Amino acid sequence: MRFTLSSTALSSRLNTLARVINSKNALPILDCFLFQVENNRLLITAGDGENVMQSALELDSCEGEGEFAVPNRTILDAVKELPEQPLNFDIDTQSFAIKIVYQNGLYNFTAQNAEEYPRMQPVEDGATTMTMDAAVLVDNISRSLFATAQDELRPVMNGIYFDLTPDALAIVASDGHKLVRNKNFNIKSETPAAFILPKKPASLLKNVLSKDGGEVIVKFNDRSAEMRFSDGVLYCRLIEGRYPNYNSVIPQDNPNRVTIDRRALLGALRRVLPFASESSQLVRFHVESGRMELSGEDIDFATSAKEQVTCEYSGQPMSIGFKGGSMQEILSSLESDEVVIELADPSRAGTVMPSQQPENEDVLMLLMPMLLND
């Protein structure tokens, strides 16, 4: 079997797919890429036992069809240093000896029999299907990933929850202290459905989807999901279990409303946080008409810092404590110039929203307060 393809096209696809492969695998064959040649196309597969990603490349020329498994480090190292040029693959289908001829040299190595490579079962036709814009999905995942938990006792909190309702698609993540809820009003379904996407496939999608457009077709059932996008497909096993009722923790009416420049607040927080207690990261937010004061102190090391930021605020003066690191993550994951922070009292959760919501979306972030030692 022989085929020819571009070195840079192969290298970029392999680098994308290599993110799926674990450094240590239970099955040695999962250290390999699966190469399948048919109909003048090369289909490359990488998996870790729970997640499988596939991508197809058009071949410049092709003689014969077949499949073989290539050790990932060998092929990655072989092609990453090559400039753009055609690569000629020559494979002995009996002994799996591979010869790759390029402009000034050649590589010889041995592949493995592809029969042992585990195959992912596609999600059957009766599953729920929805179509999303790739850029919107990337934005939603990027905004949500930081809020997922690492909780062995409650694995459902370790993923991103996709909640499809007759009103909207809500994409939610929470670790019990902070919560992110993205609502998309373009995507809805008369039949409610939901799934919990684990962190690894969510990160893979964030890295492989282009923001240039294109659509992602998401097909899911109780156990697994299939995401089809312009460059390939990702199959993944879902987290099973019931996600907590996230709507019940979102305050319906926080009367004290602060409008503040996001970058100014984020800069002040980054300067004050190093002086707060390293263990608790407690930062006091004091708001009154026209200004917000951030302060942090570490009594053990006799360090403290204070900084004022101008803001719009018309409620009663109040002080509330938040974990500085969590507030920093929330502000960093938003993109608007100004944010609106809504507060009720020092013992109830505060919500943070962009002052201007993305088109047909509603983004809300929630942060539980910390006790102030007055």
Side-chain angles (χ1 to χ4, degrees):
M1 177 171 58
R2 291 190 181 89
F3 58 88
T4 306
L5 78 169
S6 152
S7 60
T8 48
L10 178 63
S11 183
S12 70
R13 288 296 162 88
L14 291 177
N15 281 316
T16 301
L17 292 167
R19 299 173 193 269
V20 187
I21 300 173
N22 288 336
S23 52
K24 290 182 178 167
N25 288 295
L27 294 172
I29 193 77
L30 289 174
D31 289 332
C32 297
F33 292 109
L34 175 64
F35 279 36
Q36 293 168 287
V37 179
E38 60 180 9
N39 299 330
N40 215 43
R41 286 167 79 234
L42 170 63
L43 182 68
I44 310 172
T45 304
D48 64 3
E50 295 200 340
N51 306 290
V52 174
M53 200 189 289
Q54 292 182 330
S55 193
L57 281 170
E58 293 296 326
L59 297 175
D60 299 337
S61 67
C62 178
E63 289 176 35
E65 296 185 345
E67 57 180 30
F68 52 95
V70 185
N72 80 84
R73 290 262 54 97
T74 306
I75 190 74
L76 281 168
D77 291 342
V79 299
K80 73 179 178 186
E81 295 297 336
L82 290 174
E84 166 55 38
Q85 58 186 284
L87 297 180
N88 299 296
F89 279 72
D90 194 335
I91 299 101
D92 183 326
T93 48
Q94 300 300 315
S95 65
F96 294 102
I98 295 182
K99 182 163 86 171
I100 303 176
V101 180
Y102 57 99
Q103 273 174 3
N104 299 320
L106 60 89
Y107 298 126
N108 280 306
F109 58 95
T110 307
Q112 294 183 33
N113 192 331
E115 285 176 10
E116 298 167 31
Y117 202 92
R119 310 298 157 120
M120 192 73 176
Q121 296 300 316
V123 178
E124 67 272 5
D125 290 339
T128 308
T129 304
M130 62 184 183
T131 305
M132 282 190 81
D133 186 88
V136 172
L137 182 56
V138 170
D139 286 343
N140 281 281
I141 289 174
S142 303
R143 274 197 294 267
S144 307
L145 266 174
F146 79 92
T148 53
Q150 288 179 308
D151 189 338
E152 290 180 10
L153 299 175
R154 291 191 300 170
V156 291
M157 306 294 280
N158 299 346
I160 297 177
Y161 183 53
F162 286 70
D163 187 16
L164 189 58
T165 67
D167 302 323
L169 169 69
I171 297 176
V172 182
S174 176
D175 62 1
H177 301 289
K178 53 186 181 283
L179 177 143
V180 176
R181 185 197 66 192
N182 308 278
K183 272 189 174 178
N184 189 310
F185 299 107
N186 285 338
I187 303 164
K188 49 188 103 169
S189 166
E190 291 306 315
T191 312
F195 67 94
I196 306 169
L197 184 67
K199 226 177 289 194
K200 181 172 178 178
S203 300
L204 289 168
L205 283 170
K206 179 186 160 188
N207 289 318
V208 301
L209 292 178
S210 72
K211 286 201 169 188
D212 305 339
E215 289 186 330
V216 182
I217 299 167
V218 182
K219 202 170 165 186
F220 63 93
N221 57 22
D222 295 342
R223 302 196 56 186
S224 54
E226 175 186 306
M227 321 259 183
R228 291 195 172 272
F229 43 95
S230 57
D231 286 345
V233 58
L234 171 67
Y235 301 96
C236 62
R237 196 166 295 161
L238 301 172
I239 298 173
E240 295 180 47
R242 271 180 75 89
Y243 203 80
N245 180 1
Y246 58 90
N247 285 315
S248 65
V249 300
I250 297 172
Q252 297 309 308
D253 182 32
N254 274 359
N256 300 312
R257 187 180 166 101
V258 185
T259 305
I260 192 164
D261 184 279
R262 182 182 68 86
R263 289 185 185 86
L265 178 57
L266 185 56
L269 188 56
R270 283 179 174 147
R271 289 186 285 275
V272 169
L273 187 55
F275 293 87
S277 162
E278 200 172 316
S279 56
S280 70
Q281 294 190 354
L282 171 64
V283 175
R284 176 194 293 263
F285 291 74
H286 177 78
V287 280
E288 55 186 64
S289 181
R291 72 187 186 95
M292 176 186 278
E293 182 180 272
L294 280 67
S295 58
E297 67 172 339
D298 190 337
I299 298 166
D300 296 340
F301 293 96
T303 62
S304 66
K306 273 186 187 177
E307 187 168 331
Q308 289 186 11
V309 187
T310 56
C311 67
E312 287 176 36
Y313 180 65
S314 54
Q316 293 292 316
M318 69 177 286
S319 291
I320 186 168
F322 287 121
K323 186 173 182 178
S326 297
M327 181 59 90
Q328 190 174 317
E329 288 176 318
I330 284 175
L331 294 170
S332 299
S333 66
L334 292 168
E335 292 179 348
S336 62
D337 293 335
E338 288 188 328
V339 291
V340 175
I341 302 172
E342 292 185 349
L343 307 167
D345 61 59
S347 64
R348 284 164 61 186
T351 58
V352 183
M353 293 160 284
S355 59
Q356 277 195 308
Q357 293 284 4
E359 191 179 351
N360 290 319
E361 289 189 76
D362 177 45
V363 178
L364 177 142
M365 310 216 173
L366 175 145
L367 188 56
M368 299 303 286
M370 295 176 76
L371 197 63
L372 289 172
N373 303 320
D374 283 326

